[in-house]
């Protein structure tokens, strides 16, 4: 049953009935799209605290209860029983694949994993100490200068090929960004390896010696990719959707998502958490950092804590924490002083009145940096790992948006508070 919310303009007395839409789950949304046309008002919601920017079938989060679903499947079940490429298929197409659908999907990904030879030379244009995320923004954006057979966004087949290319090429570009930063030759992908295994091969193998993929590392990496694959309308996904809404080239849209992801309030937090733990150094200094996080005149925040949507423990953080334990045990390296420090920090924060009152819990980034470290991933590649995984969500959300019948350019309005109107000084005026 459709419900309405009535709103009356106090100045004119005119009333407008706003339709209330109900999704499958989550709060109902008030459709305000006619508000300006009918009553002459804009709404004001900086940071989108109460604004749904789209309808989506892909991912659902209940932040109060700590629930995350991909196409209706709980993240815990997917983490236990699925793997990254299957989850990517699920996000893109809406259903879990059959065996043959998965084989075909896998084969498409494998066969799109190479990048054009000309693109390989782009890496040399970056100075050796460029942050790999800077290289990623540039090189992924440069993909828009290639693959002209997949950029007619009105053609569903083109959209699909662009999405597959993006998922397939991301690990290749990511590993190449790293290899360039350490001055080693860029590796080609190998078609007989898994998605995570191939990334490890391109990251760590050298022409001068054999590299064996550790199955424990490969499995853990695949899990981390799966956990980061999508997270509904987060800042980077919303950026991809906004760029895509203009009809921009799909690869350029993904580059804009990478740029948004890089910030420490978003994907850059995983790198920031590790740097913060190093800075804290020992348990005795935790109270000092907790006090700084609570001090409003200090810009310091406890990195890896808090979330716009989760007002409870981030379910991904729990899974990463368990996986981290498992990885350490299997790799025979059970003592990591930074992990001990992180556990202690979490314990102190969760008992602190400020953190309780503000509902600040560990988010996925609190533990993901530690697991990357245990897997041998260098710190400056942490956010790049996030970008590889989130590409599945970005392309799924981009495809959903383009196919949407109501799709139009995303164009927020504003409340203008600058000078009303002024006259340019006449010549000779002081
Ligand atoms: N440490 C200390 N205080 C915090 C923190 C924190 N990590 N996070 C939020 N707060 C306080 C904030 O100061 C504010 O207090 P008050 O109401 O007294 O002014 C209140 O909690 C609400 O914070 P907010 O900044 O208004 O919340 P937001 O939804 O705009 O920001 C956030 C969410 C994730 C950007 C923020 O919690 C944060 O900066 N966390 C640290 C960075 C981080 O871990 N980011 C990763 C997010 S999860 C993965 C991802 O999305 O990529």
């Amino acid at each position: 049953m459709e419900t309405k919310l009535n709103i009356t303009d106090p100045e004119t007395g005119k009333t407008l009935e706003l339709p209330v839409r109900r999704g499958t789950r989550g709060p109902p949304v008030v459709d305000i799209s006619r508000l300006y046309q009918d009553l002459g008002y804009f709404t004001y919601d900086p940071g989108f605290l109460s604004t749904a920017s789209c309808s989506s079938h892909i991912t659902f989060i209940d932040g109060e209860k700590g629930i995350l679903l991909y196409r209706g499947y709980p993240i815990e079940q997917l983490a236990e029983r699925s793997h990254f490429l299957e989850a990517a298929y699920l996000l893109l197409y809406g259903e879990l694949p059959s065996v043959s659908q998965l084989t075909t999907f896998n084969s498409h990904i494998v066969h799109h994993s190479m990048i054009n030879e000309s693109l390989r030379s782009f890496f040399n244009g970056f100075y050796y100490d460029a942050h790999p995320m800077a290289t990623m923004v540039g090189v992924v954006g440069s993909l828009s200068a290639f693959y002209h057979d997949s950029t007619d966004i009105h053609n569903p087949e083109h959209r699909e090929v662009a999405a597959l290319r993006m998922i397939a090429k991301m690990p290749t570009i990511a590993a190449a960004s790293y290899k360039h930063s350490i001055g080693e030759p860029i590796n080609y992908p190998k078609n007989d390896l898994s998605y995570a295994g191939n990334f490890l091969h391109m990251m760590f193998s050298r022409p001068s010696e054999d590299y064996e993929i550790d199955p424990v590392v490969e499995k853990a990496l695949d899990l981390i990719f799966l956990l980061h694959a999508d997270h509904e309308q987060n800042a980077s996904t919303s950026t991809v959707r906004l760029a895509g809404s203009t009809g921009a080239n799909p690869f350029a849209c993904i580059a804009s998502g990478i740029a948004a992801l890089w910030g420490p309030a978003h994907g850059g937090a995983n790198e920031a958490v590790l740097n913060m733990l190093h800075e804290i150094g020992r348990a005795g200094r935790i109270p000092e950092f907790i006090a700084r996080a609570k001090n409003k005149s200090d810009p310091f925040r406890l990195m890896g804590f808090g979330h716009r949507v989760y007002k409870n423990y981030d379910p991904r953080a729990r899974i990463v924490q368990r996986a981290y334990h498992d990885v350490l045990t299997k790799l025979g390296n059970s003592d990591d002083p930074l992990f001990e420090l992180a556990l202690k920090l979490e314990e102190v924060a969760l008992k602190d009145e400020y953190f309780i009152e503000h509902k600040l819990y560990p988010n996925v980034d609190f533990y993901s940096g530690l697991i990357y470290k245990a897997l041998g991933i260098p710190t400056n590649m942490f956010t790049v790992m996030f970008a590889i995984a989130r590409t599945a969500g970005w392309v799924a959300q981009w495809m959903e948006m383009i196919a949407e019948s109501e799709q139009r350019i995303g164009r927020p309005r504003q409340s203008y508070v600058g000078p009303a109107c002024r006259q340019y000084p006449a010549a000779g005026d002081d």
Side-chain angles (χ1 to χ4, degrees):
M1 190 191 69
E2 197 184 74
T3 50
K4 308 265 188 206
L5 193 84
N6 288 340
I7 172 164
T8 305
D9 181 345
E11 282 172 23
T12 62
K14 194 174 165 192
T15 295
L16 181 64
E17 280 192 335
L18 300 172
V20 176
R21 297 178 178 212
R22 286 184 192 273
T24 331
R25 294 182 73 163
V29 297
V30 183
D31 181 346
I32 54 155
S33 53
R34 292 192 59 85
L35 188 64
Y36 175 59
Q37 209 173 328
D38 292 355
L39 287 192
Y41 286 91
F42 291 153
T43 54
Y44 183 66
D45 184 20
F48 300 102
L49 293 173
S50 302
T51 299
S53 59
C54 62
S55 298
S56 179
H57 297 83
I58 302 176
T59 292
F60 172 74
I61 305 172
D62 182 330
E64 296 298 328
K65 295 194 181 129
I67 292 172
L68 168 61
L69 311 175
Y70 290 171
R71 299 280 189 181
Y73 293 102
I75 195 69
E76 292 80 4
Q77 291 180 22
L78 293 167
E80 183 75 31
R81 294 163 55 190
S82 185
H83 55 86
F84 174 69
L85 277 188
E86 188 179 62
Y89 183 100
L90 174 67
L91 291 169
L92 273 178
Y93 301 107
E95 296 297 334
L96 286 168
S98 65
V99 174
S100 74
Q101 283 169 329
L102 186 59
T103 308
T104 309
F105 183 65
N106 197 22
S107 143
H108 285 318
I109 296 295
V110 159
H111 288 98
H112 282 301
S113 60
M114 278 174 62
I115 52 174
N116 190 294
E117 282 296 299
S118 313
L119 192 76
R120 284 166 65 92
S121 64
F122 284 29
F123 290 91
N124 295 327
F126 288 89
Y127 202 50
Y128 74 93
D129 63 354
H131 193 288
M133 280 299 275
T135 313
M136 293 292 289
V137 174
V139 176
V140 171
S142 306
L143 285 175
S144 52
F146 297 78
Y147 311 114
H148 299 304
D149 60 337
S150 61
T151 50
D152 175 3
I153 61 159
H154 303 295
N155 179 333
E157 282 164 23
H158 279 218
R159 295 200 294 266
E160 188 177 12
V161 176
L164 296 174
R165 282 193 168 128
M166 216 43 270
I167 296 172
K169 293 182 199 307
M170 207 63 163
T172 314
I173 297 172
S177 303
Y178 172 63
K179 284 295 193 187
H180 175 72
S181 74
I182 56 166
E184 287 191 7
I186 293 173
N187 287 318
Y188 287 101
K190 273 185 162 182
N191 287 2
D192 59 344
L193 296 176
S194 72
Y195 191 81
N198 203 6
F199 174 71
L200 290 168
H201 149 72
M202 291 186 284
M203 274 287 286
F204 297 119
S205 67
R206 297 189 176 108
S208 52
E209 60 192 24
D210 289 336
Y211 171 75
E212 229 177 274
I213 297 165
D214 184 328
V216 172
V217 175
E218 183 181 8
K219 191 162 179 282
L221 193 57
D222 187 84
L223 171 69
I224 303 296
F225 283 161
L226 180 145
L227 294 176
H228 286 82
D230 195 42
H231 213 228
E232 51 115 309
Q233 308 313 318
N234 56 85
S236 57
T237 302
S238 299
T239 304
V240 170
R241 277 187 177 257
L242 191 59
S245 78
T246 69
N249 176 288
F251 303 110
C253 295
I254 301 302
S256 71
I258 299 173
L261 183 74
W262 194 4
H266 192 7
N270 53 18
E271 187 177 335
V273 168
L274 211 77
N275 294 335
M276 176 189 76
L277 290 174
H278 279 298
E279 199 189 340
I280 298 176
R282 57 189 166 80
R285 294 191 68 201
I286 290 175
E288 179 195 326
F289 282 80
I290 294 279
R292 283 188 61 194
K294 297 191 291 188
N295 179 355
K296 297 292 173 200
S297 53
D298 186 332
F300 175 79
R301 282 190 167 196
L302 208 56
M303 299 313 287
F305 263 78
H307 198 277
R308 170 61 61 78
V309 185
Y310 293 119
K311 300 301 165 201
N312 200 328
Y313 215 100
D314 179 338
R316 302 166 302 170
R318 261 190 228 291
I319 300 171
V320 176
Q321 201 211 62
R322 267 200 303 272
Y324 177 74
H325 250 303
D326 195 39
V327 162
L328 281 198
T329 313
K330 287 186 180 146
L331 294 178
N333 177 16
S334 50
D335 279 344
D336 181 352
L338 277 193
F339 182 52
E340 296 305 319
L341 187 63
L343 284 176
K344 188 73 198 157
L345 181 59
E346 177 188 325
E347 190 190 321
V348 175
L350 291 182
K351 283 188 193 144
D352 188 282
E353 205 42 54
Y354 172 93
F355 284 80
I356 295 170
E357 197 185 302
H358 286 77
K359 297 189 177 173
L360 300 171
Y361 291 85
N363 59 52
V364 68
D365 288 328
F366 192 65
Y367 288 107
S368 63
L370 285 166
I371 199 166
Y372 288 141
K373 178 173 163 280
L375 300 179
I377 306 291
T379 313
N380 65 357
M381 284 294 288
F382 289 1
T383 313
V384 176
M385 311 302 291
F386 197 153
I388 295 174
R390 186 54 56 84
T391 298
W394 288 333
V395 294
Q397 301 266 354
W398 173 80
M399 295 224 312
E400 181 181 67
M401 181 204 62
I402 303 276
E404 170 71 56
S405 60
E406 288 178 359
Q407 197 272 318
R408 5 180 17 177
I409 186 170
R411 204 315 187 172
R413 307 308 289 258
Q414 65 169 7
S415 167
Y416 176 70
V417 291
C421 184
R422 331 191 233 185
Q423 303 305 315
Y424 188 81
D429 280 5
D430 280 336

